[in-house]
Amino acid sequence: MILVVLSAFLPGCRSAFVPKKQLEAFNQEYQGKKFRSREDLFFQQNDRIDKNRLIHKKGTVVVLKVEASDDWIRVRARDVTRNEEQYPGEVFLFLVEDPENEQTGEQILAALRRILGANLAPVP
């Protein structure tokens, strides 16, 4: 549902949820790219989508920014027509560590790629 360009990971953040090196590689894969939302983009936390929290309308071109801590990852989508200094973007995806569902960093990033791929289309 959500696909946007991934810009940069907060420097110096260390994540037990997903190892820092894996996050850095993930960010490099998306850095500098733009994406167009395939459908309206709503806030999503893990598998729950909040249809009452519209982040961007269908067709909006965005860039992504990933932020992380030891037990969560959030992805911001910023409309490319807005200034990053004044508007850092809206959090559209928030993944929180689930102690009942242990996953490796690679599994978490694969799920993140699936979510992004389903919702965003690369802009040439």
Side-chain angles (χ1 to χ4, degrees):
M1 169 179 147
I2 302 169
L3 194 43
V4 183
V5 121
L6 203 80
S7 180
F9 173 71
L10 285 180
C13 277
R14 179 169 170 77
S15 176
F17 189 39
V18 175
K20 182 179 176 181
K21 287 184 180 183
Q22 287 180 338
L23 279 172
E24 288 172 348
F26 181 85
N27 280 324
Q28 287 178 359
E29 181 180 333
Y30 287 87
Q31 189 170 10
K33 296 180 182 174
K34 296 177 184 175
F35 297 87
R36 182 178 313 277
S37 58
R38 297 176 194 263
E39 300 292 332
D40 287 346
L41 191 57
F42 294 95
F43 176 79
Q44 180 174 346
Q45 181 172 340
N46 291 1
D47 293 331
R48 295 183 313 267
I49 299 170
D50 185 349
K51 293 285 188 172
N52 295 317
R53 290 183 60 188
L54 178 66
I55 303 301
H56 291 291
K57 290 197 172 275
K58 178 180 178 178
T60 303
V61 177
V62 298
V63 293
L64 300 177
K65 182 175 184 177
V66 174
E67 301 167 334
S69 80
D70 288 344
D71 57 357
W72 56 260
I73 295 174
R74 65 182 174 203
V75 181
R76 290 183 181 271
R78 180 181 54 83
D79 184 333
V80 296
T81 64
R82 302 201 51 194
N83 183 325
E84 184 177 10
E85 291 177 11
Q86 295 174 347
Y87 176 71
E90 294 286 331
V91 174
F92 75 91
L93 181 58
F94 190 65
L95 300 177
V96 181
E97 187 172 20
D98 180 359
E100 295 178 13
N101 184 15
E102 288 190 32
Q103 294 181 309
T104 66
E106 289 178 10
Q107 290 171 320
I108 293 164
L109 293 178
L112 183 55
R113 282 185 185 92
R114 279 192 303 276
I115 293 168
L116 295 176
N119 295 293
L120 302 171
V123 174

